[in-house]
Every structure is written in structure tokens, then in C-alpha cells.
Amino acid sequence: MLYIKDVLLQLLFALTPFVLYNIYYRDKTANYSKRFINFTCMICLFMSMTFHSSVQNGIIFDIRYVIMFFGMVYGGMTTGLLLLVEFVLYRVLIGGQGLFSAMIILVITFNLSILLAILYRRRSEYRNLITFLAGLSFSFIPICVMLVTERKYIVENLTFNILVMPVQNSLGIWLLISLFNKAVSDKQLFQKYLQNEKVETIAHVAASLAHEVRNPLTAVMGFLKLIRNDSLSKEKTHYYIDICVEEMKRTEVILSEYLSIAKPSIPIYEQMDLVPQLNSVIDVITPYANMNNVALEVHNEGHELYISANPNEIKQLLINFIKNAIEACSYISRGKVIIRMAPESQLYAKITIHDNGVGMSSEQLERLGTIYFSTKSKGTGVGLTFSYQLIRSMNGAVNVRSTLGKGTEFIISLPLTN
């Protein structure tokens, strides 16, 4: 039973680098450093030699060879030399009958560790075999040397040397190398995941930016085409120019918001009436509807519908839904989008956007509002994702009914303010 306790204690020391690695680098994006390997190996070597296994005073056994091999594999020759100096100084300080034998064993195992560590790093396909050979060698080299230098000790403590030593070194080196290598591999996968996530985030931002900027530019393009018409009155032309200027200002605001992503600010909410916002959006989106041969029909019962929101976000939300409805009707004859706005139970503002376009299947309805899902061949799904998230953040709700070939109806409910 005493032997088992000693072996378990030494195995605990052998796993110290693995445990400390998982504690220290758990929340860090960086992987291990040579300084970390040096520090943990020196601590581990000191602890294992301090609480060593022994059945005869002066002759001690620990997992020094395991730690030395591990240090050379992950820290290189510098780590090996530091451990060598530490072991020699501490072993001389401990002294005892086995000091001479320990130095002979150290010379053999140190040079063998250098060779095996080089092979381990260069021949990745044979790493399991090299680890096995290292454990086997570090188990039997001490016994062979002790048979020559301390034969009486070996004979008198045959059970300890044949059973305890091989288990302690072989199992220790296999556990430490295998577990630490697995932890390092997992960390590398995590780093790769973070890198891919950064690229994916940039792609999302780029797609979102393109989507947000495209809306005002489309409106400006429509109005500029109308301005080329010589039959327009001067007042009408000036009115269209004012709308173009307003949309370009909105584009500038959108770009400024994306440039400030690195330092996000708290959204500014204010009490606003939805009706003027809808009318402004209709003025902007009408040329786009005309370009797609889609009729817009607006019904407003004349109520004032005050909500707490960011005007720019609400405008973008309405544009996203109405623009999608227009595009759903662009491939059919007599396409029409009907927009209704009215109070609902005095608690919510109800916005209904109905189109007679292509409609959606039940599978498409389930995925609606998911990033990168779009029913359009060139769509990104960013617009509706933004809109859904904005509605939820305002404690609102959105419901959709759709039938393939017959059209779609979105019902948006936003809480009213007193």
C-alpha cells in the first residue's frame, strides 16, 4: 500500500505541467511559452525530489527522467540544461549512498533524452513509439546501473525495483506527454477557431455594411433617373434633390456607425411618432417600387403612434421590410405592396406589410431572420436579421404568414409609450 501511495504522489508531480497549463492558459488565446515550460518543469522536479520514493536511506527514486524528457520536447535544450543543473545541485545537497549511481544514470538518461526529444519533434508519425521507448528506457536504465553499482540493494528490494520503478516512469511519461499534447492540440484548434471567427465576423460586417449602404444608394439612383425627366416641374426636381441629399446624409451616418464599432456607444432612444417616419420611408422607397413595376398602397387611420426608439434604426427597419416586399413582387405582373399602420389594444403600434409576391414555404419561414439566410439569390439575410433583433430589443414582436405563389404578410408590433 505504501508503494501505491508513493507512485500516485510521483504521478501527481508528473502531471503538474499539464494541470498548470490548463489552469493558466484556459482563458488565454496564446499557447504555452518556453518560460512556462521552464518554470513548471523546475517546480515539478523540485517537488518530486523533495517527496521522493525510497526503501533505503540515501537511495531515492522520482520522476526526474520523465520531467527532463518532457522539458526537452517542449522547451528545447535550454530547458534540459536548466533541469540538469537543478538536479545536480539538489541531488548533491541531498547526498546519501546513491549519489554516485544517480550521476551515472543521469549521464546516460540525459543524452538519451536529447536524442529521443529530437526524434519526437522531427518524426511526428512515430511519437507514440518514441514515448513508449522513452518510458521503457527510463525504467530499466536505472535498474541496470544499480545492478552494477548497488547489486545488494537491488536484490534485497527486488519487488520495488521491478514493479514500482517501471510503472512510475512508464505510466508517468505516457500520461504527461499524451495529456499535454492533447491540451496543446486543443488550444491550437481553439486559436484556429478564433481566427476563423474573426474572418467570419469581418465577412458579416462587410455584408451588413453593403446591405445598409445599398438601400439609400438605390433610392438616390431612382430619384436621379426621375430628375432626368424634362417634364418635371422645378419644385418637384428640388424636392427629389432634397431627398437625395437626405439619403446621402443617412449613408454617411451608417458609415460612421460602422467605423465606431471598435468603440460601441449606447444607442440613443427618443420618443417619436411612427407615422412621419413611415411617410418619409414611402417617399424614399417609391422610386424603387416604380423601377420594379410594383404599386405601393398606404393606409393610415390618422392616429399618432408614439414609440421609444432610434429614428435611424426604425427607418432602416421599415425600409428592410418594404424593400423585401417590393422585390418579392418584382417578377410578377400587377405587383402590389399594401402597408397599414394602426394602434393595437392601445398598447402596441401595429404595422402590417402585405405583398402579392412569390411567397415562402414553411421551411423558409422557419429560417427567416437567420444570418446568411435569404430567399433571394443575391441576398445575405442581414437586413431581416437586423430587423428581427431590433424588434426584440424593443420588446416588440413580428409575425409572418406566407403562401407560395400567393404572397406574404408581415405583422410588426412595437410597444407604444404614454
Side-chain angles (χ1 to χ4, degrees):
M1 186 62 69
L2 182 62
Y3 293 164
I4 296 176
K5 185 182 71 173
D6 289 340
V7 170
L8 291 177
L9 183 62
Q10 290 298 313
L11 290 178
L12 175 63
F13 294 141
L15 292 177
T16 300
F18 166 73
V19 174
L20 292 179
Y21 175 84
N22 281 281
I23 294 174
Y24 184 73
Y25 286 98
R26 181 180 58 184
D27 299 322
K28 294 182 179 294
T29 56
N31 216 327
Y32 71 91
S33 63
K34 286 189 176 182
R35 181 180 298 178
F36 171 82
I37 298 296
N38 294 340
F39 178 74
T40 54
C41 286
M42 292 181 73
I43 289 179
C44 183
L45 182 62
F46 176 80
M47 295 297 291
S48 67
M49 292 180 67
T50 302
F51 302 97
H52 52 258
S53 301
S54 177
V55 290
Q56 182 174 318
N57 290 334
I59 300 178
I60 66 175
F61 291 97
D62 46 59
I63 43 86
R64 69 191 75 158
Y65 315 116
V66 174
I67 294 301
M68 198 163 293
F69 174 69
F70 169 81
M72 289 186 183
V73 168
Y74 290 96
M77 193 62 187
T78 303
T79 304
L81 292 174
L82 287 174
L83 295 174
L84 177 65
V85 172
E86 180 186 13
F87 170 75
V88 171
L89 293 177
Y90 197 22
R91 188 64 186 87
V92 170
L93 181 63
I94 294 174
Q97 178 183 344
L99 177 60
F100 176 70
S101 300
M103 294 304 171
I104 296 176
I105 296 171
L106 178 63
V107 172
I108 299 172
T109 54
F110 182 79
N111 287 284
L112 181 61
S113 295
I114 295 174
L115 175 62
L116 291 176
I118 293 173
L119 290 175
Y120 186 91
R121 289 194 296 267
R122 292 182 179 178
R123 306 299 297 269
S124 58
E125 68 273 20
Y126 296 118
R127 284 182 176 177
N128 289 333
L129 177 60
I130 294 170
T131 302
F132 173 76
L133 291 175
L136 202 64
S137 302
F138 300 151
S139 297
F140 290 103
I141 287 175
I143 296 176
C144 294
V145 172
M146 294 292 287
L147 278 172
V148 176
T149 59
E150 302 287 344
R151 185 179 181 83
K152 182 180 178 181
Y153 162 78
I154 293 292
V155 173
E156 291 177 352
N157 302 282
L158 193 61
T159 303
F160 175 84
N161 289 282
I162 292 179
L163 296 180
V164 175
M165 288 299 300
V167 171
Q168 183 171 287
N169 286 290
S170 299
L171 188 58
I173 199 167
W174 179 78
L175 283 174
L176 177 56
I177 295 293
S178 299
L179 292 176
F180 192 85
N181 190 50
K182 180 66 167 59
V184 170
S185 298
D186 289 345
K187 175 63 71 173
Q188 289 172 343
L189 287 175
F190 176 67
Q191 290 175 316
K192 187 176 181 180
Y193 165 78
L194 287 180
Q195 186 63 34
N196 291 338
E197 188 179 42
K198 289 179 182 179
V199 173
E200 192 172 320
T201 301
I202 293 172
H204 285 184
V205 172
S208 178
L209 177 59
H211 183 277
E212 301 293 348
V213 171
R214 188 182 293 118
N215 287 332
L217 291 181
T218 301
V220 170
M221 183 184 299
F223 281 113
L224 289 177
K225 288 182 178 180
L226 291 174
I227 291 172
R228 292 177 61 184
N229 191 343
D230 296 334
S231 62
L232 287 177
S233 64
K234 187 175 181 180
E235 291 77 11
K236 201 72 172 178
T237 301
H238 287 170
Y239 175 67
Y240 287 164
I241 291 174
D242 290 340
I243 293 179
C244 289
V245 171
E246 185 67 26
E247 286 304 296
M248 295 308 296
K249 288 181 179 179
R250 190 163 72 88
T251 303
E252 184 179 359
V253 170
I254 292 172
L255 292 173
S256 298
E257 289 176 351
Y258 275 91
L259 288 174
S260 64
I261 283 177
K263 294 187 290 185
S265 58
I266 300 174
I268 300 175
Y269 292 99
E270 61 183 63
Q271 193 176 42
M272 49 169 284
D273 188 356
L274 269 176
V275 177
Q277 286 293 323
L278 176 61
N279 293 334
S280 175
V281 168
I282 295 301
D283 287 338
V284 170
I285 209 72
T286 296
Y288 186 66
N290 294 336
M291 288 169 58
N292 288 275
N293 297 317
V294 176
L296 289 181
E297 192 175 302
V298 182
H299 299 275
N300 178 22
E301 298 180 4
H303 296 279
E304 292 182 339
L305 302 173
Y306 285 95
I307 64 171
S308 178
N310 184 307
N312 288 327
E313 291 181 342
I314 290 297
K315 190 173 184 180
Q316 189 63 52
L317 181 148
L318 294 171
I319 287 176
N320 287 338
F321 279 105
I322 298 173
K323 182 172 177 287
N324 284 344
I326 292 171
E327 291 171 347
C329 302
S330 60
Y331 298 104
I332 66 171
S333 59
R334 298 183 181 180
K336 179 185 288 188
V337 176
I338 302 173
I339 306 161
R340 293 186 176 89
M341 184 176 289
E344 181 182 22
S345 304
Q346 304 300 317
L347 297 175
Y348 292 92
K350 181 181 177 181
I351 307 168
T352 304
I353 302 171
H354 176 83
D355 67 71
N356 62 345
V358 294
M360 291 179 284
S361 65
S362 58
E363 291 79 10
Q364 290 173 324
L365 286 175
E366 290 178 0
R367 297 185 60 190
L368 207 60
T370 304
I371 190 70
Y372 277 154
F373 172 75
S374 176
T375 57
K376 298 173 287 187
S377 60
K378 296 183 179 180
T380 62
V382 174
L384 279 185
T385 301
F386 162 80
S387 302
Y388 271 57
Q389 290 177 346
L390 177 59
I391 292 169
R392 294 188 187 105
S393 69
M394 296 172 62
N395 296 319
V398 55
N399 295 303
V400 56
R401 294 192 293 263
S402 185
T403 304
L404 277 174
K406 294 184 178 180
T408 303
E409 183 178 72
F410 284 93
I411 303 173
I412 305 167
S413 299
L414 299 175
L416 293 169
T417 57
N418 296 327

